[in-house]
């Protein structure tokens, strides 16, 4: 396990493409979960030694990649790792900042990738609503509703709807919801475009 995991994330030695690393991350995660009852050490090694390193790799090499893995690859291979090992600490340190950067560089790719990430995270471990209203992503999303590119407008709407749909009611604070509602109405009032208002209304419907 150690030699495989080290080889995956060693920038100097690894010749494995990003999609291959994501595939192996998912495979190692699923193996450790399936064997937990008989070999719990595998899970603990991944969690304690490699989870944060994989999160670092995910942020720099996957989220910021100019040619990220396909949506299918992210859904099938990345979600097991996200669900099991990504905590709010890791999310804020390694994933969130790079999502913000990617939204600026290539929103047509970033928002689609964010959708897969949000739906894969465990809402009991990561408070997505709080990180949304306290980060740049919320303003980036509303700004993208005004994009001249239809693909960006649709991807940004789909992304925030997936985020809101994945929230756990037990871990959603009223203050964070009110912040989101206030920000949404503020943007509705300040923008006259009909499609923009429709997109914002769809956000309110999900809330």
């Amino acid at each position: 396990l150690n030699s495989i995991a080290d080889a995956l994330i060693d920038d100097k030695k690894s010749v494995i493409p990003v999609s291959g690393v994501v595939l192996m991350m998912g495979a190692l995660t699923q193996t450790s979960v399936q064997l937990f009852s008989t070999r719990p050490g595998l899970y603990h090694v991944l969690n304690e030694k490699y989870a944060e390193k994989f999160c670092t790799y995910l942020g720099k090499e996957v989220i910021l990649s100019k040619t990220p893995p396909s949506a299918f690859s992210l859904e099938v291979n990345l979600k097991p790792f996200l669900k099991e090992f990504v905590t709010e600490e890791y999310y804020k340190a390694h994933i969130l900042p790079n999502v913000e950067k990617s939204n600026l560089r290539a929103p047509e790719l970033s928002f689609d990738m964010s959708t897969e990430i949000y739906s894969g995270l465990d809402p009991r471990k990561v408070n997505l609503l709080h990180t949304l209203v306290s980060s740049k992503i919320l303003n980036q999303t509303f700004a993208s509703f005004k994009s001249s590119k239809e693909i960006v407008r649709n991807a940004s709407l789909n992304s925030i709807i997936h985020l809101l749909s994945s929230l756990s009611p037990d871990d959603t604070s009223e203050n964070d919801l009110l912040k989101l509602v206030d920000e949404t109405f503020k943007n509705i009032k300040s923008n006259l475009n009909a499609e923009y208002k429709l997109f914002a209304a769809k956000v309110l419907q999900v809330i």
Side-chain angles (χ1 to χ4, degrees), residues 57-185:
Y57 181 92
L58 174 60
K60 293 181 178 179
E61 303 298 332
V62 179
I63 294 173
L64 294 181
S65 174
K66 294 181 180 179
T67 54
S70 67
F72 176 81
S73 175
L74 293 174
E75 179 179 1
V76 174
N77 301 318
L78 185 60
K79 281 186 179 180
F81 172 77
L82 294 173
K83 180 181 178 181
E84 291 296 329
F85 297 122
V86 176
T87 63
E88 185 153 339
E89 178 185 358
Y90 292 165
Y91 178 77
K92 288 181 176 180
H94 305 292
I95 297 176
L96 177 63
N98 289 302
V99 169
E100 292 174 339
K101 291 178 185 177
S102 186
N103 284 345
L104 295 175
R105 295 180 184 181
E108 65 277 7
L109 297 175
S110 181
F111 281 112
D112 279 342
M113 198 181 320
S114 297
T115 297
E116 300 300 334
I117 292 174
Y118 298 150
S119 58
L121 291 166
D122 186 341
R124 295 168 299 180
K125 297 176 182 177
V126 181
N127 189 330
L128 281 173
L129 180 60
H130 182 70
T131 57
L132 173 69
V133 299
S134 59
S135 71
K136 299 175 183 177
I137 292 178
L138 183 59
N139 286 333
Q140 290 174 338
T141 300
F142 281 119
S144 293
F145 288 176
K146 298 182 289 185
S147 173
S148 60
K149 298 179 180 179
E150 182 180 5
I151 188 173
V152 173
R153 298 196 301 272
N154 291 333
S156 59
L157 175 63
N158 192 42
S159 178
I160 192 170
I161 286 178
H162 267 75
L163 184 151
L164 295 173
S165 299
S166 68
L167 298 178
S168 169
D170 295 334
D171 300 316
T172 302
S173 80
E174 184 176 346
N175 285 339
D176 289 336
L177 280 174
L178 288 175
K179 287 180 183 179
L180 177 57
V181 171
D182 288 344
E183 191 65 28
T184 304
F185 274 114

Side-chain angles (χ1 to χ4, degrees), residues 16-85:
I16 303 173
V18 171
S19 57
V21 175
V22 171
L23 171 64
M24 290 302 298
M25 287 167 62
L28 289 173
T29 300
Q30 290 176 311
T31 299
S32 71
V33 171
Q34 291 169 358
L35 296 179
F36 185 80
S37 60
T38 56
R39 299 187 64 184
L42 292 175
Y43 187 95
H44 293 309
V45 168
L46 275 181
N47 189 33
E48 295 168 10
K49 188 175 180 180
Y50 293 106
E52 185 169 14
K53 292 180 180 179
F54 277 144
C55 285
T56 301
Y57 181 92
L58 174 60
K60 293 181 178 179
E61 303 298 332
V62 179
I63 294 173
L64 294 181
S65 174
K66 294 181 180 179
T67 54
S70 67
F72 176 81
S73 175
L74 293 174
E75 179 179 1
V76 174
N77 301 318
L78 185 60
K79 281 186 179 180
F81 172 77
L82 294 173
K83 180 181 178 181
E84 291 296 329
F85 297 122

